[in-house]
Amino acid sequence: MRRPPGLSVRLKLTLSYAGFLAVAGALLLAVVWAYLLRYVPDNSQGLLGISPNRYLLVHTFAPAAAAAMGFLLVFGLVGGWILAGRMLAPLTRITAAARTAGTGSLSHRIRMEGRRDEFRELADTFDTMLEQLEAHVAEQQRFAANASHELRTPLAISRTLLDVARKDPTRDRAELIERLDAVNTRAIKLTDALLLLSRGERGHFARESVDLSLLAEEAAETLLPLAEQRRIALDVTGGAARTSGSPELLLRMVTNLVQNAVVHNLPADGTVAVHTEERDGVSVLRVENTGPPLPPDLVPTLTEPFQRGTARVRSDEHAGVGLGLAIVHSVVRAHDGTLALTPRPAGGLAVTVRLPRAQLSRG
């Protein structure tokens, strides 16, 4: 990248160093002139014809002073150029790293050595930013690839069904319509989930006071038929847990948690416990379920989009689209909260959501 015309920072610093040095030399000479020469007699013969006079000292001192000023100026320019180069060397490395990152390569790191000064802190901050940016870009690339794959699957199935129907006109049309409807419904659910996830990531929504306990009761009432069908005991306990946010997004968060707890449970006679409370200045929602033991290395990946552990894959109508906990994580972050997933020793998962408690307005 070509730099626009004008003085470089190194040249400006060099001129500044030389200028300050020249000014300091001039001030020193002025002090010598003011406080030394003023006490020397100003006549052509000197004191009794023996001691030097001001005339002789000035004519002797002036060439030496001029030579000293010239030396100071040259020394200031050369030394300032070298010193400015050494001072700006870390900035040159940071600029080169930024230029490399601008080309799309985010794996480069500065890793500056030496004492921790301002340039070292800037380089370390830049390296941290590159690491976060690289991780974010990689996550977005995986998300785009997985989303494309997930969206392509129902479209490919629909095309296959239509091709089969076109080649075999005698095929049962009712069965074809039913299968196409199921595939289309899954595609719509996936699209809605992607839009909701995007909305949660942007964080653009109106905030109002929301009680998590009421949302938990509503989600439990909605999913009670599913729990009864699977012979899962669904229990909601606790008190009010008020927070500030989007009622729609928070309801979707609670519903996803309860649905995951019901679906990923024991084949029968399992339990799902939903508890809400206010504690230590935060509103807490805890959803805990029984189920098969979860590998420790699987739990951290459950909030990633389209990440389905083998032990959690379902083949029925509630298989979902792999975005349940990803949406929960997105909504929690958009509401400035935290999400903790803990595998239970006896099997199953305990999910704890902590959101800032809403401040009650005083009338």
Side-chain angles (χ1 to χ4, degrees), residues 102-164:
T103 62
S105 176
L106 301 177
S107 59
H108 178 72
R109 298 291 182 271
I110 302 174
R111 295 188 176 89
M112 188 172 295
E113 305 85 4
R115 60 184 297 271
R116 183 169 293 277
D117 54 9
E118 289 82 352
F119 286 117
R120 172 71 180 277
E121 291 181 358
L122 177 60
D124 292 345
T125 302
F126 191 81
D127 284 345
T128 302
M129 182 193 69
L130 284 179
E131 292 177 2
Q132 295 176 350
L133 186 60
E134 184 181 22
H136 181 71
V137 170
E139 180 182 354
Q140 292 299 318
Q141 290 175 345
R142 291 195 304 269
F143 177 81
N146 290 330
S148 300
H149 175 74
E150 294 286 339
L151 285 171
R152 183 178 181 274
T153 300
L155 295 176
I157 295 175
S158 298
R159 181 176 180 178
T160 301
L161 292 174
L162 292 174
D163 287 342
V164 171

Side-chain angles (χ1 to χ4, degrees), residues 210-212 239-244 275-286 332 335-339 352-359:
V210 181
D211 190 345
L212 295 179
R242 296 177 180 85
T243 188
S244 177
H275 182 78
T276 59
E277 64 177 340
E278 293 180 353
R279 183 177 59 211
D280 298 331
V282 297
S283 295
V284 180
L285 168 70
R286 182 177 178 86
V332 170
H335 288 78
D336 304 319
T338 60
L339 175 67
T352 304
V353 175
R354 294 180 175 86
L355 299 175
R357 187 172 62 182
Q359 299 295 331

Side-chain angles (χ1 to χ4, degrees), residues 153-185:
T153 300
L155 295 176
I157 295 175
S158 298
R159 181 176 180 178
T160 301
L161 292 174
L162 292 174
D163 287 342
V164 171
R166 186 181 298 110
K167 295 177 182 179
D168 186 8
T170 62
R171 188 178 181 87
D172 188 358
R173 298 184 59 182
E175 178 186 358
L176 174 64
I177 293 175
E178 183 178 353
R179 295 188 62 182
L180 285 175
D181 179 71
V183 172
N184 187 60
T185 300

Side-chain angles (χ1 to χ4, degrees), residues 82-102:
I82 297 174
L83 183 60
R86 291 178 61 87
M87 292 295 296
L88 294 176
L91 189 59
T92 303
R93 291 180 59 183
I94 297 174
T95 302
R99 187 175 292 114
T100 302

Side-chain angles (χ1 to χ4, degrees), residues 33 37 42 53-65:
W33 175 267
L37 296 182
D42 187 10
N53 58 21
R54 186 183 301 179
Y55 175 82
L56 293 176
L57 288 179
V58 168
H59 283 74
T60 303
F61 179 69

